[in-house]
Amino acid sequence: MKETMLINYQGDMKNVVIPEEIKMIMGEEVAYGTEFEELDRAMWKPFRRGPFSRNEEIETVTMGDNVTVIGPKAFEHCSNLKSIKLSSSLRYIGLSAFMGCRSLKELYLPHSLSYVADWAFAYCHFDKVVYDGTLLEADDCIAHYADLFTDMLI
């Protein structure tokens, strides 16, 4: 079975809606079953961009609940991104996925999340982060970002 990937987006750029059939948001097609660490190595190249990289029009993103992977650099430097509704099935947030999204002040991470890559939230300045998981899971998944979060609720 092949995952349905979003590589290019054609639609409202101010209020992005990721359709229910999308399972992966990537800058280019990758092989089904690729391990998370392999995605980071395969996708992170200095000049490669994610499907929404550096888009200053985006203010909101709503994901369908089937998205399991947000690939490296997917939303990097979307400086006007204010709100994002992550998929309840999300498992992976890639390298530099939201780096530089300075207008994003609140983040709600689903219980399903199992891997957050380095630099995923670099240069973000959150006021509130809510993780729908346990403290042990947070330690494994997002605790290395604790210094970025002013008010982290677990």
Side-chain angles (χ1 to χ4, degrees), residues 2-19:
K2 186 174 178 166
E3 297 284 342
T4 305
M5 292 180 211
L6 184 144
I7 297 170
N8 281 319
Y9 177 79
Q10 304 294 320
D12 181 0
M13 279 301 186
K14 184 175 181 181
N15 301 297
V16 173
V17 177
I18 309 296

Side-chain angles (χ1 to χ4, degrees), residues 57-110:
E57 289 181 58
I58 299 174
E59 291 184 9
T60 68
V61 174
T62 303
M63 289 183 193
D65 280 331
N66 292 318
V67 174
T68 59
V69 172
I70 298 174
K73 297 184 176 185
F75 295 92
E76 72 165 343
H77 297 292
C78 290
S79 59
N80 291 313
L81 178 60
K82 294 174 178 70
S83 168
I84 185 160
K85 182 209 171 276
L86 297 174
S87 164
S88 62
S89 304
L90 187 64
R91 295 181 52 226
Y92 165 91
I93 299 176
L95 191 71
S96 304
F98 294 95
M99 180 173 77
C101 293
R102 295 171 190 247
S103 297
L104 193 58
K105 299 298 180 194
E106 293 188 4
L107 185 64
Y108 298 86
L109 300 170

Side-chain angles (χ1 to χ4, degrees), residues 109-111 113-114 129-146 149 152-154:
L109 300 170
H111 180 80
L113 191 62
S114 60
V129 175
V130 177
Y131 176 56
D132 183 26
T134 67
L135 188 57
L136 178 59
E137 290 164 338
D139 186 48
D140 291 342
C141 180
I142 61 171
H144 57 286
Y145 290 104
F149 306 142
M152 183 169 172
L153 305 174
I154 297 177

Side-chain angles (χ1 to χ4, degrees), residues 37-64:
E37 291 85 357
E38 289 295 318
L39 284 174
D40 283 341
R41 282 193 290 277
M43 294 299 298
W44 196 92
K45 294 191 170 88
F47 301 105
R48 179 171 290 148
R49 291 186 175 182
F52 300 98
S53 291
R54 300 184 185 277
N55 185 319
E56 294 184 5
E57 289 181 58
I58 299 174
E59 291 184 9
T60 68
V61 174
T62 303
M63 289 183 193

Side-chain angles (χ1 to χ4, degrees), residues 113-138:
L113 191 62
S114 60
Y115 184 88
V116 178
D118 291 339
W119 294 87
F121 299 105
Y123 309 111
C124 293
H125 304 287
F126 296 109
D127 293 328
K128 181 178 180 181
V129 175
V130 177
Y131 176 56
D132 183 26
T134 67
L135 188 57
L136 178 59
E137 290 164 338

